[in-house]
Amino acid sequence: MDQLDVSESFDVHEYRHGLKLLKDDRGTMTLSNRQGFACPACGNEFETLFISEKRTNTFGDPGSPFCLVRTDDQLLVLTH
Ligand SMILES: [Zn+2]
């Protein structure tokens, strides 16, 4: 199982073959995991990946466990 590389900045284009774009807003992106990629925080497969370059983010009830990952310039939220 491939784990997302978040050692510097996360480059979504390296994983686009296995991530389906669900939503693309200004500064944020939501993708669904179609290739069984592993979460860089807990190592388990995640369902959706939210990427934000914004300074602040607000979420409703995620309804499931989630992990947070910080890269050089992004916040990643991975739901399981
Ligand atoms: Zn996780």
Side-chain angles (χ1 to χ4, degrees):
M1 181 157 48
D2 277 346
Q3 193 163 54
L4 305 186
D5 178 12
V6 290
S7 50
E8 291 173 7
S9 185
F10 176 67
D11 182 5
V12 70
H13 302 291
E14 283 180 32
Y15 301 92
R16 277 312 295 276
H17 58 283
L19 294 174
K20 182 177 187 252
L21 182 67
L22 301 176
K23 209 162 149 195
D24 190 359
D25 287 329
R26 241 176 313 164
T28 71
M29 211 182 254
T30 307
L31 305 115
S32 132
N33 185 6
R34 302 213 294 186
Q35 197 121 319
F37 292 128
C39 171
C42 71
N44 295 321
E45 185 178 332
F46 59 90
E47 281 180 24
T48 61
L49 166 65
F50 173 83
I51 306 168
S52 175
E53 293 173 357
K54 299 196 316 191
R55 193 160 289 273
T56 63
N57 300 276
T58 304
F59 301 98
D61 180 1
S64 61
F66 62 92
C67 292
L68 297 178
V69 175
R70 180 175 62 85
T71 70
D72 287 356
D73 50 5
Q74 301 142 313
L75 170 75
L76 273 54
V77 181
L78 303 103
T79 56
H80 289 280

